[in-house]
Amino acid sequence: MANAYIFTLQPTFTQGLIIGQFSILFLLVVVLKYLFLDSVSDQPYKSSSYQPRILRAEDEGQSALGVEELQANVTRDGSSGIESADWINILLHQVVDAYRTKLRGDLPGAEGDEVARRRVEQFANKIRPAAFVDPIKVHTVDLGVSAPRLSRARSRPLNTPLVDPQIEVDMHYTDTISVSFSTSVLLNYPFPSFARLPISLTISLSLFSSTILLTPPQPHSPHPTVTVMLPSPQSDFTLDLKTTSLLGSRAKLADVPKLHELITHQIRRAIIEKGVWKVVLPGLASVREVEEDIEKERVGAV
């Protein structure tokens, strides 16, 4: 009579087959439920067709939350939290090329080179300290062919809601940009213009790389701008320059290391002092208005 039961302490082939079938069915149900099917209790209603997610701001409070969520989605690439910046590199290259073309007067070849040389020479003489440097003669200008390349765009975490949201981006710039010029340094001791030291220089950019911070325009600002600035400390960037130099009239000194250090130091200091660049949005502000805002901020900080 014991043979009438399906399960016994001594498994048979039939019992093993039945157990195996139930095991496979159980695993199939578990896989389907937890890996492919939605939980009805978690989502009371969901359409069977795909609906794209749309962020809506019902009121002013929800609007701020929507912006933060959108920023998180924009900067997310898989699980790395980093967004590829390839698309903006193409745009940035076109913008730089547009400036190069206009600086050359829309002229190709040697004619465009001459226009660019004259404009750089005029600018250099406009900003030179006339009491210490003779008029500058620019010989050649190479405007380069590349553009700054951005990568690893990511949202910078905010410690307080009072701080504007920022985007952190790595910038890397290598190019053939260079300028060759000559002038004389005035020696004003023991009396003004006592002597002149002729100098010929060629300065070429080898590498400039840094992490930069982008602050998007604030809609409620009186004059919205996009702010680009170096992170703190502002000296934390890489600037590699190549210089060739000749000093003197008859007896010439070539490629003086101290002169290279001085030039690199002065350019680094100029970048650090500038530090922040504000991009004016067309139709929303003028350069004069933004300059007035910057001056007010400077006076207020003092």
Side-chain angles (χ1 to χ4, degrees):
M1 187 172 179
N3 294 333
Y5 291 97
I6 296 178
F7 298 102
T8 65
L9 296 178
Q10 295 180 352
T12 63
F13 173 78
T14 304
Q15 294 172 351
L17 180 62
I18 294 174
I19 294 174
Q21 295 294 328
F22 272 107
S23 300
I24 295 175
L25 181 61
F26 175 76
L27 291 176
L28 181 62
V29 171
V30 171
V31 170
L32 289 176
K33 180 177 181 180
Y34 292 100
L35 295 184
F36 297 101
L37 301 180
D38 290 327
S39 174
V40 178
S41 60
D42 294 339
Q43 294 182 343
Y45 171 79
K46 185 174 181 180
S47 173
S48 59
S49 61
Y50 171 74
Q51 298 293 332
R53 185 178 184 183
I54 301 176
L55 296 176
R56 293 186 177 92
E58 300 297 338
D59 51 35
E60 187 174 354
Q62 290 182 353
S63 177
L65 295 176
V67 170
E68 293 178 0
E69 186 172 2
L70 180 58
Q71 289 174 345
N73 291 336
V74 168
T75 58
R76 185 166 295 138
D77 181 13
S79 59
S80 63
I82 297 174
E83 170 73 11
S84 171
D86 290 342
W87 65 273
I88 200 172
N89 286 324
I90 298 174
L91 177 63
L92 184 59
H93 200 292
Q94 293 297 108
V95 171
V96 174
D97 279 345
Y99 276 98
R100 285 196 187 100
T101 301
K102 296 306 177 183
L103 188 58
R104 294 167 57 89
D106 293 321
L107 296 175
E111 291 181 326
D113 293 341
E114 176 60 20
V115 172
R117 186 201 66 79
R118 289 200 304 265
R119 289 182 172 177
V120 172
E121 185 177 88
Q122 291 173 359
F123 177 76
N125 283 290
K126 182 179 179 180
I127 64 173
R128 72 179 174 89
F132 300 97
V133 178
D134 265 347
I136 298 173
K137 174 63 177 178
V138 175
H139 302 288
T140 61
V141 173
D142 186 346
L143 300 179
V145 296
S146 184
R149 183 171 183 82
L150 306 180
S151 62
R152 299 184 68 248
R154 63 268 186 196
S155 179
R156 190 175 188 181
L158 302 178
N159 297 325
T160 171
L162 299 178
V163 179
D164 294 335
Q166 291 180 325
I167 300 171
E168 205 170 36
V169 185
D170 292 342
M171 183 183 69
H172 187 88
Y173 183 37
T174 57
D175 206 344
T176 60
I177 185 171
S178 65
V179 59
S180 297
F181 62 93
S182 60
T183 186
S184 294
V185 177
L186 301 180
L187 305 180
N188 296 318
Y189 185 83
F191 52 83
S193 302
F194 170 73
R196 285 173 168 81
L197 176 63
I199 296 178
S200 296
L201 281 171
T202 298
I203 304 175
S204 306
L205 174 66
S206 178
L207 168 66
F208 179 79
S209 65
S210 175
T211 298
I212 60 176
L213 298 178
L214 303 177
T215 303
Q218 299 304 304
H220 299 292
S221 173
H223 307 117
T225 58
V226 176
T227 303
V228 181
M229 66 179 182
L230 297 177
S232 182
Q234 294 179 337
S235 59
D236 188 17
F237 60 86
T238 300
L239 176 65
D240 289 339
L241 297 175
K242 292 181 179 179
T243 61
T244 58
S245 60
L246 285 175
L247 278 70
S249 178
R250 295 179 178 85
K252 296 182 181 294
L253 298 176
D255 299 336
V256 180
K258 285 296 182 181
L259 183 59
H260 170 78
E261 295 176 5
L262 176 63
I263 293 172
T264 302
H265 173 74
Q266 292 297 327
I267 294 178
R268 287 183 64 92
R269 189 180 72 172
I271 294 175
I272 293 172
E273 288 179 352
K274 184 65 177 178
V276 178
W277 294 264
K278 289 185 178 291
V279 181
V280 179
L281 301 182
L284 297 181
S286 65
V287 174
R288 183 178 182 84
E289 290 172 335
V290 174
E291 287 177 346
E292 291 176 354
D293 292 343
I294 295 175
E295 182 64 21
K296 291 178 181 177
E297 292 177 1
R298 187 186 67 81
V299 173
V302 175

